[in-house]
Amino acid sequence: MNYTLHQLQIFLKITQLKSITKASEALFLSQPAVSIQLKKFQDQFSIPLTEVVGRQLYVTDFGWEIAEAAEKILNEVQAINYKTMSFKGQVAGRLKISVVSTGKYVMPYFLSDFINKNKGVDLVMDVTNKGSVVNSLEKNEVDFALVSVVPNQLNLDRIELMENKLFLVGGTNLKLNKKTSPKKLFETFPLIYREDGSATRNAMEAYIASHDISTRKKMQLTSNEALKQAIVAGLGLSIMPLIGIKNELKNNDLQIIPFKDLPIVTNWNLVWQKSKNLSPVAMAYLEFLKFEKDRIIKENFDWYEEY
Protein backbone atom coordinates (compact mmCIF):
# COMPACT_ATOMS: atom_id res chain seq x y z
CA MET A 1 0.00 0.00 0.00
CA ASN A 2 1.18 3.48 -0.84
CA TYR A 3 -1.55 5.88 0.27
CA THR A 4 -0.68 9.42 1.34
CA LEU A 5 -1.71 11.57 4.30
CA HIS A 6 -3.52 13.78 1.80
CA GLN A 7 -5.63 10.82 0.65
CA LEU A 8 -6.39 9.88 4.26
CA GLN A 9 -7.52 13.43 4.94
CA ILE A 10 -9.76 13.49 1.87
CA PHE A 11 -11.30 10.10 2.62
CA LEU A 12 -11.98 11.02 6.25
CA LYS A 13 -13.69 14.24 5.22
CA ILE A 14 -15.85 12.36 2.69
CA THR A 15 -16.99 9.92 5.39
CA GLN A 16 -17.75 12.78 7.76
CA LEU A 17 -19.82 14.75 5.24
CA LYS A 18 -21.07 11.76 3.18
CA SER A 19 -20.59 13.81 0.03
CA ILE A 20 -17.73 14.38 -2.41
CA THR A 21 -19.08 17.83 -3.23
CA LYS A 22 -19.27 18.91 0.41
CA ALA A 23 -15.84 17.41 1.13
CA SER A 24 -14.31 19.35 -1.77
CA GLU A 25 -15.83 22.58 -0.45
CA ALA A 26 -14.62 21.91 3.09
CA LEU A 27 -11.09 21.15 1.88
CA PHE A 28 -11.02 24.00 -0.67
CA LEU A 29 -10.36 21.55 -3.50
CA SER A 30 -12.10 20.98 -6.80
CA GLN A 31 -14.63 18.15 -6.98
CA PRO A 32 -12.66 16.31 -9.72
CA ALA A 33 -9.49 16.48 -7.59
CA VAL A 34 -11.30 14.91 -4.63
CA SER A 35 -12.85 12.21 -6.84
CA ILE A 36 -9.44 11.32 -8.33
CA GLN A 37 -7.80 11.01 -4.90
CA LEU A 38 -10.72 8.92 -3.61
CA LYS A 39 -10.33 6.52 -6.56
CA LYS A 40 -6.56 6.25 -6.04
CA PHE A 41 -7.13 5.51 -2.36
CA GLN A 42 -9.91 2.98 -3.08
CA ASP A 43 -7.77 1.17 -5.67
CA GLN A 44 -5.36 0.15 -2.91
CA PHE A 45 -8.04 -1.98 -1.22
CA SER A 46 -9.71 -5.11 -2.53
CA ILE A 47 -12.87 -4.32 -0.54
CA PRO A 48 -15.08 -1.31 -1.44
CA LEU A 49 -14.84 1.70 0.88
CA THR A 50 -17.90 3.49 -0.53
CA GLU A 51 -20.84 2.77 -2.79
CA VAL A 52 -23.31 4.94 -4.66
CA VAL A 53 -26.99 4.05 -4.52
CA GLY A 54 -29.07 6.29 -6.74
CA ARG A 55 -27.19 9.56 -6.40
CA GLN A 56 -26.32 9.14 -2.73
CA LEU A 57 -22.86 8.13 -1.54
CA TYR A 58 -22.71 5.58 1.27
CA VAL A 59 -19.71 4.40 3.31
CA THR A 60 -19.39 0.63 3.64
CA ASP A 61 -18.74 -1.09 6.97
CA PHE A 62 -15.15 -1.63 5.87
CA GLY A 63 -14.97 2.03 4.86
CA TRP A 64 -15.96 3.11 8.37
CA GLU A 65 -13.18 0.93 9.81
CA ILE A 66 -10.64 2.59 7.51
CA ALA A 67 -12.03 6.05 8.33
CA GLU A 68 -11.57 5.40 12.04
CA ALA A 69 -7.96 4.31 11.45
CA ALA A 70 -7.37 7.35 9.21
CA GLU A 71 -8.57 9.70 11.93
CA LYS A 72 -6.18 8.14 14.46
CA ILE A 73 -3.25 8.43 12.04
CA LEU A 74 -4.00 12.07 11.21
CA ASN A 75 -4.37 12.94 14.90
CA GLU A 76 -0.98 11.37 15.63
CA VAL A 77 0.63 13.29 12.79
CA GLN A 78 -0.91 16.51 14.11
CA ALA A 79 0.40 15.71 17.59
CA ILE A 80 3.91 15.34 16.15
CA ASN A 81 3.58 18.75 14.50
CA TYR A 82 2.40 20.32 17.79
CA LYS A 83 5.34 18.78 19.68
CA THR A 84 7.81 20.07 17.09
CA MET A 85 6.44 23.60 17.42
CA SER A 86 6.44 23.37 21.21
CA PHE A 87 10.13 22.42 21.22
CA LYS A 88 10.75 25.56 19.18
CA GLY A 89 9.06 27.61 21.92
CA GLN A 90 5.85 28.19 20.00
CA VAL A 91 2.33 27.86 21.40
CA ALA A 92 0.92 24.89 19.51
CA GLY A 93 -2.05 22.57 19.85
CA ARG A 94 -5.81 22.45 19.50
CA LEU A 95 -8.16 24.87 21.25
CA LYS A 96 -11.75 23.61 21.52
CA ILE A 97 -14.57 25.99 22.40
CA SER A 98 -18.34 25.45 22.49
CA VAL A 99 -20.43 28.59 22.02
CA VAL A 100 -24.15 29.23 22.48
CA SER A 101 -25.70 30.48 19.25
CA THR A 102 -25.82 34.20 20.07
CA GLY A 103 -22.23 33.99 21.27
CA LYS A 104 -21.07 33.78 17.65
CA TYR A 105 -21.32 37.58 17.60
CA VAL A 106 -18.90 37.78 20.56
CA MET A 107 -16.36 34.95 20.62
CA PRO A 108 -14.52 35.54 17.30
CA TYR A 109 -13.36 38.96 18.47
CA PHE A 110 -11.76 37.44 21.57
CA LEU A 111 -10.01 34.79 19.47
CA SER A 112 -8.69 36.47 16.32
CA ASP A 113 -5.55 38.12 17.72
CA PHE A 114 -4.60 35.02 19.70
CA ILE A 115 -5.02 32.69 16.70
CA ASN A 116 -3.24 35.05 14.31
CA LYS A 117 -0.31 35.46 16.70
CA ASN A 118 0.04 31.73 17.38
CA LYS A 119 0.12 29.98 14.01
CA GLY A 120 0.53 26.59 15.63
CA VAL A 121 -2.89 26.75 17.31
CA ASP A 122 -5.80 25.01 15.58
CA LEU A 123 -9.22 26.30 16.59
CA VAL A 124 -12.30 24.10 16.82
CA MET A 125 -15.36 26.22 17.65
CA ASP A 126 -18.80 24.62 17.82
CA VAL A 127 -21.75 27.04 17.72
CA THR A 128 -24.80 25.27 19.07
CA ASN A 129 -27.68 25.43 21.56
CA LYS A 130 -27.28 25.82 25.30
CA GLY A 131 -28.06 22.17 26.07
CA SER A 132 -25.31 20.94 23.76
CA VAL A 133 -22.85 23.45 25.18
CA VAL A 134 -23.49 22.25 28.75
CA ASN A 135 -23.27 18.63 27.58
CA SER A 136 -19.88 19.21 25.95
CA LEU A 137 -18.60 20.68 29.23
CA GLU A 138 -19.94 17.75 31.25
CA LYS A 139 -18.29 15.24 28.91
CA ASN A 140 -14.98 17.14 28.92
CA GLU A 141 -15.12 17.47 25.12
CA VAL A 142 -14.02 21.12 25.06
CA ASP A 143 -11.53 23.40 26.79
CA PHE A 144 -13.96 26.28 27.24
CA ALA A 145 -17.57 27.29 26.66
CA LEU A 146 -19.12 30.70 26.12
CA VAL A 147 -22.45 31.24 27.90
CA SER A 148 -24.52 34.19 29.09
CA VAL A 149 -25.92 32.26 32.05
CA VAL A 150 -23.47 30.04 33.94
CA PRO A 151 -24.96 26.54 34.48
CA ASN A 152 -25.17 25.99 38.25
CA GLN A 153 -25.12 22.19 38.04
CA LEU A 154 -21.42 22.20 37.17
CA ASN A 155 -18.38 23.23 39.20
CA LEU A 156 -16.90 25.86 36.90
CA ASP A 157 -14.26 28.56 36.76
CA ARG A 158 -14.99 31.57 34.60
CA ILE A 159 -13.84 34.84 33.10
CA GLU A 160 -16.40 37.58 32.49
CA LEU A 161 -15.85 38.97 29.01
CA MET A 162 -18.49 41.67 28.53
CA GLU A 163 -22.08 42.63 29.23
CA ASN A 164 -24.99 41.01 27.44
CA LYS A 165 -27.89 43.46 27.06
CA LEU A 166 -31.39 42.36 26.04
CA PHE A 167 -33.87 44.90 24.67
CA LEU A 168 -37.43 44.81 23.40
CA VAL A 169 -37.08 44.87 19.61
CA GLY A 170 -39.51 45.39 16.74
CA GLY A 171 -39.34 45.98 13.00
CA THR A 172 -39.25 49.56 11.78
CA ASN A 173 -42.28 48.79 9.61
CA LEU A 174 -44.43 48.46 12.73
CA LYS A 175 -46.40 51.64 13.26
CA LEU A 176 -46.22 52.09 17.00
CA ASN A 177 -48.66 54.53 18.53
CA LYS A 178 -46.83 56.70 21.05
CA LYS A 179 -50.01 56.90 23.13
CA THR A 180 -50.18 53.13 23.45
CA SER A 181 -49.34 52.03 26.98
CA PRO A 182 -46.26 49.78 27.26
CA LYS A 183 -48.24 46.74 28.37
CA LYS A 184 -50.68 47.26 25.50
CA LEU A 185 -47.82 46.57 23.10
CA PHE A 186 -47.69 42.94 24.19
CA GLU A 187 -51.43 42.60 23.79
CA THR A 188 -51.33 44.13 20.30
CA PHE A 189 -48.29 42.48 18.78
CA PRO A 190 -47.42 38.75 18.99
CA LEU A 191 -44.33 37.75 20.92
CA ILE A 192 -41.65 35.67 19.23
CA TYR A 193 -39.61 33.35 21.44
CA ARG A 194 -36.42 31.36 21.05
CA GLU A 195 -36.55 27.59 21.60
CA ASP A 196 -37.02 25.96 25.04
CA GLY A 197 -33.81 25.98 27.06
CA SER A 198 -32.37 29.06 25.36
CA ALA A 199 -30.91 31.54 27.88
CA THR A 200 -32.54 34.37 25.91
CA ARG A 201 -35.93 32.69 26.18
CA ASN A 202 -35.49 32.02 29.89
CA ALA A 203 -34.64 35.69 30.50
CA MET A 204 -37.61 36.81 28.41
CA GLU A 205 -40.06 34.52 30.22
CA ALA A 206 -38.77 35.58 33.64
CA TYR A 207 -39.15 39.24 32.71
CA ILE A 208 -42.71 38.79 31.44
CA ALA A 209 -43.71 36.79 34.52
CA SER A 210 -42.17 39.29 36.96
CA HIS A 211 -43.96 42.21 35.31
CA ASP A 212 -47.34 40.46 35.10
CA ILE A 213 -47.58 41.09 31.36
CA SER A 214 -50.42 39.47 29.45
CA THR A 215 -49.45 38.43 25.93
CA ARG A 216 -51.31 37.71 22.73
CA LYS A 217 -50.37 34.94 20.35
CA LYS A 218 -46.74 33.79 20.58
CA MET A 219 -44.39 32.09 18.13
CA GLN A 220 -41.20 30.09 18.57
CA LEU A 221 -38.09 30.06 16.36
CA THR A 222 -34.92 28.08 16.89
CA SER A 223 -32.22 30.50 15.76
CA ASN A 224 -31.33 34.12 16.34
CA GLU A 225 -31.09 34.75 12.60
CA ALA A 226 -34.59 33.37 11.98
CA LEU A 227 -35.89 35.46 14.86
CA LYS A 228 -34.38 38.63 13.41
CA GLN A 229 -35.88 38.01 9.99
CA ALA A 230 -39.31 37.37 11.48
CA ILE A 231 -39.20 40.66 13.39
CA VAL A 232 -37.93 42.57 10.34
CA ALA A 233 -40.85 41.13 8.37
CA GLY A 234 -43.29 42.46 10.97
CA LEU A 235 -44.40 39.18 12.53
CA GLY A 236 -44.09 40.49 16.06
CA LEU A 237 -41.81 41.65 18.87
CA SER A 238 -39.15 39.93 20.92
CA ILE A 239 -36.65 40.58 23.68
CA MET A 240 -33.27 40.08 22.02
CA PRO A 241 -29.55 40.43 22.77
CA LEU A 242 -28.22 43.73 21.46
CA ILE A 243 -24.99 42.04 20.34
CA GLY A 244 -26.74 40.25 17.47
CA ILE A 245 -28.61 43.17 15.90
CA LYS A 246 -25.91 45.77 15.25
CA ASN A 247 -26.28 45.74 11.46
CA GLU A 248 -30.08 45.68 11.55
CA LEU A 249 -30.12 48.74 13.80
CA LYS A 250 -27.60 50.50 11.58
CA ASN A 251 -29.62 49.69 8.46
CA ASN A 252 -32.85 50.81 10.14
CA ASP A 253 -34.44 47.37 9.79
CA LEU A 254 -35.04 47.01 13.52
CA GLN A 255 -35.83 49.42 16.32
CA ILE A 256 -35.35 49.24 20.07
CA ILE A 257 -38.62 49.90 21.87
CA PRO A 258 -38.15 51.61 25.27
CA PHE A 259 -39.76 49.56 28.01
CA LYS A 260 -39.74 49.51 31.79
CA ASP A 261 -36.77 47.75 33.44
CA LEU A 262 -35.13 46.99 30.11
CA PRO A 263 -32.48 46.20 29.10
CA ILE A 264 -31.98 42.96 30.98
CA VAL A 265 -28.24 42.82 31.66
CA THR A 266 -26.25 39.61 32.11
CA ASN A 267 -22.64 38.81 31.26
CA TRP A 268 -20.89 36.75 28.63
CA ASN A 269 -18.73 34.26 30.50
CA LEU A 270 -15.97 31.98 29.28
CA VAL A 271 -16.27 28.92 31.54
CA TRP A 272 -14.41 25.65 32.11
CA GLN A 273 -14.48 22.75 34.55
CA LYS A 274 -12.53 23.51 37.73
CA SER A 275 -11.20 19.97 37.75
CA LYS A 276 -10.00 20.15 34.12
CA ASN A 277 -6.29 19.79 33.46
CA LEU A 278 -5.91 22.66 31.00
CA SER A 279 -3.55 22.17 28.07
CA PRO A 280 -0.65 24.60 27.45
CA VAL A 281 -2.70 26.16 24.65
CA ALA A 282 -5.70 26.69 26.94
CA MET A 283 -3.47 28.18 29.64
CA ALA A 284 -1.87 30.50 27.08
CA TYR A 285 -5.31 31.63 25.94
CA LEU A 286 -6.41 32.47 29.49
CA GLU A 287 -3.21 34.49 29.93
CA PHE A 288 -3.95 36.29 26.66
CA LEU A 289 -7.47 37.20 27.83
CA LYS A 290 -6.15 38.44 31.17
CA PHE A 291 -4.10 41.13 29.46
CA GLU A 292 -6.06 41.80 26.26
CA LYS A 293 -9.75 41.55 27.20
CA ASP A 294 -10.28 45.25 27.92
CA ARG A 295 -8.49 46.31 24.73
CA ILE A 296 -10.59 43.95 22.63
CA ILE A 297 -13.82 45.30 24.11
CA LYS A 298 -12.72 48.90 23.54
CA GLU A 299 -11.66 48.31 19.94
CA ASN A 300 -14.61 46.19 18.82
CA PHE A 301 -17.60 46.99 21.01
CA ASP A 302 -17.48 50.75 21.56
CA TRP A 303 -20.85 50.98 19.73
CA TYR A 304 -22.35 48.86 22.49
CA GLU A 305 -22.18 51.74 24.97
CA GLU A 306 -24.55 53.85 22.85
CA TYR A 307 -27.51 51.75 24.00
Side-chain angles (χ1 to χ4, degrees):
M1 296 218 173
N2 193 31
Y3 47 78
T4 65
L5 291 175
H6 185 52
Q7 288 170 348
L8 289 176
Q9 182 186 36
I10 287 174
F11 180 65
L12 180 59
K13 187 61 67 176
I14 289 171
T15 63
Q16 291 170 339
L17 300 177
K18 300 180 179 63
S19 166
I20 291 175
T21 300
K22 291 179 180 178
S24 66
E25 293 172 353
L27 295 169
F28 302 101
L29 297 170
S30 68
Q31 187 172 330
V34 170
S35 296
I36 290 170
Q37 291 303 316
L38 175 61
K39 185 178 186 306
K40 287 182 178 181
F41 187 61
Q42 170 68 83
D43 287 347
Q44 298 179 71
F45 300 90
S46 59
I47 304 172
L49 301 174
T50 63
E51 58 184 356
V52 177
V53 180
R55 300 180 65 180
Q56 179 64 46
L57 181 142
Y58 294 90
V59 182
T60 65
D61 290 342
F62 179 66
W64 285 118
E65 294 286 340
I66 298 302
E68 184 178 347
E71 184 171 22
K72 290 178 181 177
I73 293 169
L74 291 169
N75 285 340
E76 288 298 322
V77 171
Q78 191 64 69
I80 292 171
N81 293 337
Y82 292 151
K83 288 176 182 178
T84 302
M85 292 177 184
S86 295
F87 268 89
K88 291 180 178 179
Q90 302 175 25
V91 177
R94 187 171 292 173
L95 184 64
K96 296 181 180 180
I97 301 178
S98 186
V99 178
V100 293
S101 58
T102 310
K104 65 178 175 284
Y105 304 109
V106 177
M107 200 68 233
Y109 294 97
F110 290 92
L111 285 165
S112 61
D113 287 349
F114 179 76
I115 298 298
N116 290 333
K117 179 181 177 182
N118 299 289
K119 302 299 184 182
V121 175
D122 291 330
L123 173 65
V124 179
M125 188 172 80
D126 181 31
V127 180
T128 183
N129 58 56
K130 182 184 175 185
S132 296
V133 168
V134 173
N135 189 51
S136 66
L137 277 172
E138 287 181 315
K139 292 184 176 181
N140 197 32
E141 295 173 342
V142 295
D143 298 302
F144 304 110
L146 182 71
V147 294
S148 59
V149 177
V150 178
N152 54 22
Q153 71 268 38
L154 300 177
N155 191 17
L156 301 173
D157 273 329
R158 64 173 173 168
I159 291 180
E160 287 188 0
L161 296 184
M162 58 181 288
E163 286 187 340
N164 180 37
K165 302 177 184 178
L166 289 86
F167 288 90
L168 180 63
V169 177
T172 51
N173 58 350
L174 292 181
K175 305 303 179 183
L176 302 177
N177 189 335
K178 293 183 179 180
K179 295 182 180 180
T180 302
S181 66
K183 286 189 177 183
K184 191 70 175 176
L185 280 174
F186 290 97
E187 297 172 358
T188 305
F189 299 101
L191 272 178
I192 309 177
Y193 289 75
R194 285 289 304 276
E195 74 280 4
D196 286 332
S198 161
T200 298
R201 178 177 180 136
N202 292 342
M204 182 173 172
E205 289 181 330
Y207 176 83
I208 290 171
S210 65
H211 288 73
D212 193 27
I213 297 171
S214 61
T215 62
R216 196 164 76 86
K217 179 181 178 182
K218 68 180 183 181
M219 292 173 274
Q220 176 178 306
L221 297 173
T222 57
S223 78
N224 206 61
E225 292 301 317
L227 184 60
K228 282 194 296 187
Q229 294 307 313
I231 297 172
V232 169
L235 285 177
L237 311 176
S238 189
I239 294 176
M240 296 189 66
L242 174 64
I243 196 70
I245 59 174
K246 176 185 177 181
N247 291 335
E248 287 75 16
L249 291 172
K250 182 179 178 181
N251 296 334
N252 202 34
D253 293 323
L254 293 177
Q255 61 178 315
I256 289 176
I257 302 169
F259 204 81
K260 181 182 178 182
D261 296 329
L262 288 178
I264 302 167
V265 180
T266 59
N267 284 287
W268 287 108
N269 296 276
L270 192 72
V271 301
W272 64 97
Q273 293 267 31
K274 281 188 176 181
S275 59
K276 185 173 180 61
N277 185 18
L278 293 175
S279 68
V281 171
M283 293 291 290
Y285 183 57
L286 289 180
E287 190 72 5
F288 166 81
L289 286 179
K290 177 181 176 181
F291 291 101
E292 301 295 338
K293 179 183 74 170
D294 292 340
R295 174 189 63 80
I296 292 168
I297 293 172
K298 183 176 181 181
E299 289 181 0
N300 297 285
F301 299 102
D302 57 334
W303 65 273
Y304 211 67
E305 300 305 318
E306 298 175 14
Y307 298 91

